[in-house]
Amino acid sequence: MTAAVARRLLQAVMVMFAMTVIVFIAINVIGDPVDILISPDADQIERARVVQALGLDLPLWQQYLRFLWAALHGDLGESYVYNEPAIRVILQRLPATLELAVSAILIAIVVGVPLGLYAGLRPDGILSRVIMTVSILGFSLPTFWVGLVLIMFFGVQLGWLPSGGRGQTAELFGVQWAFLTKDGLAHLILPAVNLALFDACLILRLTRAGVAEVLPLDFVKFARAKGLRETRVIGVHVSKNIMIPVVTIIGLEFGSIVAFSVVTESVFSWPGMGKLIIDSINVLDRPIITAYLMAIVAFFVIINLVVDLTYTALDPRVRLQGEGP
């Protein structure tokens, strides 16, 4: 196990290195930050001074080496807009995005797994057919449209929930969290539900398919033949064997929620990383864009490692890549 984890960590380092190259090249081909940083009326001397200060007068390979050396020391540049280290700005917005992502994935699990189990155990029932039909709608409806509908119905027409912002927060471990206050929790509900809709439907359909595949197998028939209660058969024998693909999807979708919460954060004015990256792209704040992309890559690498390790906890027959039988 130790050797397998070491191999995965080495792969993670290689992925991070490859992504530094991709991110650096991609960032350097989109626009010229000098045009945004200086006044249109600035003369060529002022422009040349800014170019030199940013190191944009160096060859591209030298710019990359400087970027890589600084990144290894935790320096991803200083934001052109906020005049702070880019990684600090990202970390300031990270708790809001994590709070939203964790809430969304918990809603997706709590809704998707039980409904998927029910639909798989009673595939011909009317309620099961309704559940599967609704899940298709969940896949099909655009996130921004669902968000606007939620705002119009619950925020404007009924006035039950606030339609934007993060609300009041409270401090825990030196970080501000919205879910710790009643007002913050009310602000969290709509964006979390909007973000969870697609994943809840995905988990639901995957769980239903897993149940349909596992139920006819011999070990389930044998468990029932031994006289085990149906709740134990479903809760232990069936659920444990369908969890491997579900855990994979949950892990990857959690990363996707963090990375692609841009639409939801924009619709609900949620002050997280997604809204920050949109604002930074509009003003071509390269350090913020770079720090965001590198943070997302690191997040996905960590999630993939955790998912691989969870495999062996759920089913000892599953081995990490490269581990012997």
Side-chain angles (χ1 to χ4, degrees):
M1 177 65 73
T2 303
V5 172
R7 283 194 294 269
R8 292 292 296 172
L9 290 175
L10 180 60
Q11 292 173 4
V13 172
M14 295 174 62
V15 169
M16 291 295 295
F17 174 75
M19 284 306 300
T20 61
V21 178
I22 297 173
V23 169
F24 179 81
I25 294 176
I27 293 300
N28 276 272
V29 299
I30 55 170
D32 186 357
V34 177
D35 294 334
I36 298 176
L37 292 175
I38 64 175
S39 170
D41 299 328
D43 55 22
Q44 290 299 318
I45 297 177
E46 178 64 18
R47 183 181 180 87
R49 187 189 65 80
V50 174
V51 169
Q52 185 177 16
L54 295 176
L56 299 178
D57 57 332
L58 298 174
L60 193 61
W61 65 271
Q62 288 187 16
Q63 293 184 43
Y64 171 72
L65 291 180
R66 289 180 60 180
F67 162 75
L68 182 61
W69 178 256
L72 291 174
H73 291 79
D75 180 11
L76 293 175
E78 186 170 295
S79 170
Y80 302 153
V81 176
Y82 298 95
N83 293 320
E84 293 183 47
I87 193 66
R88 181 188 300 171
V89 178
I90 292 293
L91 292 178
Q92 289 172 352
R93 300 294 188 98
L94 180 61
T97 296
L98 284 181
E99 183 176 44
L100 181 60
V102 170
S103 302
I105 203 68
L106 287 178
I107 293 173
I109 294 171
V110 170
V111 173
V113 173
L115 291 181
L117 281 171
Y118 181 88
L121 294 172
R122 296 173 174 81
D124 297 324
I126 296 177
L127 182 56
S128 296
R129 295 180 184 276
V130 172
I131 290 172
M132 298 308 294
T133 301
V134 172
S135 71
I136 295 176
L137 289 176
F139 277 123
S140 306
L141 298 177
T143 301
F144 74 90
W145 184 84
V146 174
L148 294 176
V149 170
L150 291 175
I151 290 174
M152 288 295 298
F153 188 70
F154 292 101
V156 178
Q157 297 295 331
L158 298 178
W160 290 354
L161 296 168
S163 58
R166 198 182 180 195
Q168 185 179 359
T169 60
E171 184 175 328
L172 179 64
F173 303 122
V175 180
Q176 296 293 325
W177 303 99
F179 74 93
L180 295 176
T181 68
K182 183 178 179 180
D183 180 61
L185 192 60
H187 281 79
L188 179 62
I189 292 175
L190 287 185
V193 169
N194 182 50
L195 202 55
L197 179 62
F198 177 87
D199 294 306
C201 296
L202 180 61
I203 293 173
L204 187 158
R205 297 185 70 85
L206 187 63
T207 303
R208 191 259 186 194
V211 171
E213 182 180 351
V214 169
L215 278 181
L217 297 182
D218 291 338
F219 71 88
V220 176
K221 296 178 181 178
F222 183 70
R224 284 172 169 164
K226 288 197 304 181
L228 297 179
R229 295 192 303 272
E230 188 68 11
T231 54
R232 180 170 177 80
V233 173
I234 302 301
V236 177
H237 298 279
V238 175
S239 297
K240 188 175 181 179
N241 283 274
I242 67 173
M243 277 298 108
I244 291 178
V246 172
V247 165
T248 305
I249 291 299
I250 290 174
L252 296 179
E253 285 302 309
F254 180 65
S256 298
I257 287 175
V258 173
F260 306 116
S261 60
V262 176
V263 174
T264 297
E265 291 188 3
S266 298
V267 170
F268 291 92
S269 300
W270 188 263
M273 294 194 305
K275 192 172 186 302
L276 174 65
I277 192 63
I278 289 296
D279 296 339
S280 299
I281 290 174
N282 288 334
V283 297
L284 201 60
D285 194 344
R286 283 185 177 180
I288 293 292
I289 300 172
T290 302
Y292 173 83
L293 293 175
M294 295 307 300
I296 293 301
V297 171
F299 196 74
F300 267 102
V301 167
I302 293 172
I303 285 179
N304 284 331
L305 178 61
V306 172
V307 168
D308 282 345
L309 296 178
T310 306
Y311 278 173
T312 56
L314 289 173
D315 190 346
R317 296 172 300 176
V318 179
R319 293 291 184 261
L320 294 174
Q321 185 177 0
E323 188 177 352

